[in-house]
Short mmCIF file of all heavy atoms in Angstrom, two decimals:
data_model
loop_
_atom_site.label_atom_id
_atom_site.label_comp_id
_atom_site.label_asym_id
_atom_site.label_seq_id
_atom_site.Cartn_x
_atom_site.Cartn_y
_atom_site.Cartn_z
N ASP A 63 101.62 93.11 102.94
CA ASP A 63 101.05 91.73 102.98
C ASP A 63 102.06 90.82 103.73
O ASP A 63 101.69 89.87 104.48
CB ASP A 63 100.86 91.20 101.59
CG ASP A 63 99.72 90.14 101.51
OD1 ASP A 63 99.51 89.53 102.58
OD2 ASP A 63 99.09 89.97 100.52
N ASN A 67 101.79 88.87 107.86
CA ASN A 67 102.28 87.49 108.37
C ASN A 67 103.07 87.67 109.65
O ASN A 67 102.90 86.88 110.56
CB ASN A 67 103.08 86.79 107.29
CG ASN A 67 102.28 86.38 106.17
OD1 ASN A 67 101.04 86.22 106.26
ND2 ASN A 67 102.90 86.19 105.00
N SER A 68 103.90 88.71 109.71
CA SER A 68 104.75 88.90 110.90
C SER A 68 103.77 89.27 112.09
O SER A 68 104.08 88.82 113.14
CB SER A 68 105.64 90.07 110.70
OG SER A 68 106.50 89.86 109.68
N ALA A 71 102.13 86.28 113.37
CA ALA A 71 103.08 85.44 114.12
C ALA A 71 103.46 86.07 115.41
O ALA A 71 104.55 85.68 115.97
CB ALA A 71 104.29 85.16 113.20
N ASP A 93 111.15 89.73 111.28
CA ASP A 93 110.36 89.88 112.44
C ASP A 93 110.83 88.97 113.60
O ASP A 93 111.65 88.07 113.39
CB ASP A 93 108.83 89.55 112.09
CG ASP A 93 108.64 88.13 111.81
OD1 ASP A 93 108.91 87.24 112.61
OD2 ASP A 93 108.06 87.83 110.70
N PHE A 96 106.92 84.09 116.16
CA PHE A 96 107.33 82.73 116.66
C PHE A 96 108.02 81.83 115.66
O PHE A 96 108.53 80.80 116.03
CB PHE A 96 106.04 82.04 117.22
CG PHE A 96 104.76 82.10 116.38
CD1 PHE A 96 104.74 81.62 115.08
CD2 PHE A 96 103.60 82.67 116.99
CE1 PHE A 96 103.60 81.68 114.39
CE2 PHE A 96 102.48 82.73 116.20
CZ PHE A 96 102.47 82.19 114.86
N GLY A 97 108.22 82.26 114.43
CA GLY A 97 108.98 81.57 113.42
C GLY A 97 108.49 80.20 113.08
O GLY A 97 107.34 79.80 113.46
N MET A 98 109.21 79.53 112.25
CA MET A 98 108.76 78.16 111.72
C MET A 98 109.96 77.23 111.78
O MET A 98 111.08 77.60 111.63
CB MET A 98 108.32 78.35 110.23
CG MET A 98 107.07 79.11 110.17
SD MET A 98 106.73 79.55 108.40
CE MET A 98 107.67 81.12 108.21
N ALA A 106 104.51 76.66 104.53
CA ALA A 106 104.28 78.10 104.32
C ALA A 106 104.72 78.45 102.87
O ALA A 106 104.09 79.44 102.28
CB ALA A 106 105.16 78.94 105.32
N SER A 111 98.76 77.33 101.06
CA SER A 111 99.21 76.59 102.22
C SER A 111 98.05 76.39 103.15
O SER A 111 98.18 75.61 104.12
CB SER A 111 100.47 77.13 102.87
OG SER A 111 100.25 78.51 103.20
N LYS A 112 97.03 77.22 103.09
CA LYS A 112 95.90 77.07 104.09
C LYS A 112 94.60 77.21 103.25
O LYS A 112 94.50 77.93 102.23
CB LYS A 112 95.97 78.09 105.12
CG LYS A 112 96.89 77.71 106.28
CD LYS A 112 96.91 78.62 107.47
CE LYS A 112 97.91 78.27 108.44
NZ LYS A 112 98.25 79.37 109.34
N ARG A 118 89.87 81.30 111.19
CA ARG A 118 91.14 81.85 111.64
C ARG A 118 91.00 82.40 113.00
O ARG A 118 89.94 82.81 113.44
CB ARG A 118 91.64 82.85 110.61
CG ARG A 118 91.92 82.34 109.25
CD ARG A 118 93.26 82.12 109.04
NE ARG A 118 93.61 81.82 107.68
CZ ARG A 118 94.82 81.87 107.15
NH1 ARG A 118 95.83 82.25 107.86
NH2 ARG A 118 94.97 81.54 105.82
N LEU A 123 95.76 87.89 110.45
CA LEU A 123 95.49 88.73 109.33
C LEU A 123 95.41 87.98 107.99
O LEU A 123 95.13 88.63 106.94
CB LEU A 123 96.56 89.86 109.32
CG LEU A 123 96.63 90.75 110.54
CD1 LEU A 123 97.74 91.82 110.41
CD2 LEU A 123 95.31 91.53 110.65
N GLY A 124 95.79 86.76 107.99
CA GLY A 124 95.77 85.98 106.74
C GLY A 124 94.40 85.35 106.44
O GLY A 124 93.45 85.45 107.30
N ARG A 125 94.24 84.87 105.18
CA ARG A 125 93.01 84.21 104.84
C ARG A 125 93.31 83.11 103.78
O ARG A 125 92.68 82.06 103.77
CB ARG A 125 92.02 85.27 104.33
CG ARG A 125 90.77 84.77 103.53
CD ARG A 125 89.92 83.79 104.36
NE ARG A 125 89.44 84.31 105.60
CZ ARG A 125 88.95 83.64 106.68
NH1 ARG A 125 88.89 82.32 106.55
NH2 ARG A 125 88.54 84.23 107.71
N PHE A 126 94.12 83.37 102.82
CA PHE A 126 94.11 82.52 101.54
C PHE A 126 95.20 81.60 101.54
O PHE A 126 95.25 80.62 100.66
CB PHE A 126 94.08 83.41 100.37
CG PHE A 126 92.90 84.30 100.23
CD1 PHE A 126 93.00 85.64 100.67
CD2 PHE A 126 91.71 83.78 99.77
CE1 PHE A 126 91.87 86.44 100.59
CE2 PHE A 126 90.54 84.62 99.58
CZ PHE A 126 90.65 85.97 100.09
N GLY A 127 96.24 81.70 102.36
CA GLY A 127 97.40 80.86 102.17
C GLY A 127 98.31 81.13 100.92
O GLY A 127 98.98 80.27 100.47
N LEU A 128 98.21 82.38 100.49
CA LEU A 128 98.90 82.76 99.37
C LEU A 128 99.84 83.95 99.41
O LEU A 128 100.78 84.09 98.66
CB LEU A 128 97.81 83.08 98.25
CG LEU A 128 97.24 81.95 97.43
CD1 LEU A 128 96.16 82.47 96.53
CD2 LEU A 128 98.34 81.26 96.60
N GLY A 129 99.52 84.82 100.34
CA GLY A 129 100.06 86.22 100.40
C GLY A 129 101.58 86.19 100.31
O GLY A 129 102.14 86.93 99.49
N LEU A 130 102.23 85.30 101.08
CA LEU A 130 103.70 85.32 101.11
C LEU A 130 104.29 85.15 99.71
O LEU A 130 105.20 85.78 99.31
CB LEU A 130 104.18 84.20 102.08
CG LEU A 130 105.68 83.83 102.03
CD1 LEU A 130 106.49 85.07 102.54
CD2 LEU A 130 105.94 82.64 102.87
N LYS A 131 103.68 84.27 99.01
CA LYS A 131 104.13 83.90 97.67
C LYS A 131 103.74 84.96 96.59
O LYS A 131 104.55 85.45 95.85
CB LYS A 131 103.64 82.53 97.22
CG LYS A 131 104.30 81.34 97.92
CD LYS A 131 103.91 81.17 99.36
CE LYS A 131 102.42 80.85 99.54
NZ LYS A 131 102.08 80.47 101.00
N THR A 190 111.58 85.47 111.76
CA THR A 190 111.52 85.05 110.33
C THR A 190 112.09 86.27 109.51
O THR A 190 111.88 87.41 109.91
CB THR A 190 110.14 84.74 109.93
OG1 THR A 190 109.54 83.67 110.71
CG2 THR A 190 109.94 84.36 108.48
N LYS A 354 94.42 92.12 100.29
CA LYS A 354 93.87 92.88 101.45
C LYS A 354 93.80 94.34 101.04
O LYS A 354 94.21 95.22 101.85
CB LYS A 354 94.71 92.65 102.69
CG LYS A 354 95.12 91.15 102.96
CD LYS A 354 93.96 90.37 103.34
CE LYS A 354 94.25 88.92 103.58
NZ LYS A 354 95.27 88.34 102.79
N1 ATP B 615 106.68 85.73 109.28
C1 ATP B 615 106.10 84.62 109.57
N2 ATP B 615 106.22 83.95 110.77
C2 ATP B 615 105.62 82.85 111.00
N3 ATP B 615 104.90 82.15 110.12
C3 ATP B 615 104.66 82.71 108.92
C4 ATP B 615 105.32 83.98 108.57
N4 ATP B 615 104.97 84.17 107.25
C5 ATP B 615 104.17 83.15 106.87
N5 ATP B 615 103.99 82.23 107.85
C6 ATP B 615 103.16 80.99 107.70
O1 ATP B 615 102.99 80.72 106.38
C7 ATP B 615 101.63 80.66 106.03
C8 ATP B 615 101.38 81.15 104.69
O2 ATP B 615 101.51 82.55 104.61
P1 ATP B 615 100.71 83.38 103.46
O3 ATP B 615 100.90 84.75 103.61
O4 ATP B 615 101.20 82.75 102.12
O5 ATP B 615 99.21 82.96 103.65
P2 ATP B 615 98.33 83.37 104.83
O6 ATP B 615 98.90 84.50 105.67
O7 ATP B 615 97.89 82.16 105.58
O8 ATP B 615 97.02 83.88 104.02
P3 ATP B 615 96.97 85.17 103.03
O9 ATP B 615 97.08 84.61 101.63
O10 ATP B 615 95.64 85.71 103.26
O11 ATP B 615 98.09 86.06 103.43
C9 ATP B 615 100.95 81.45 107.18
O12 ATP B 615 99.64 80.99 107.38
C10 ATP B 615 101.78 81.21 108.36
O13 ATP B 615 101.48 79.94 108.90
#
Side-chain angles (χ1 to χ4, degrees):
D63 209 336
N67 290 340
S68 300
D93 67 56
F96 46 59
M98 292 169 275
S111 52
K112 281 187 185 164
R118 297 262 187 161
L123 298 177
R125 169 56 61 197
F126 299 97
L128 276 174
L130 170 64
K131 288 71 65 173
T190 300
K354 314 293 177 326

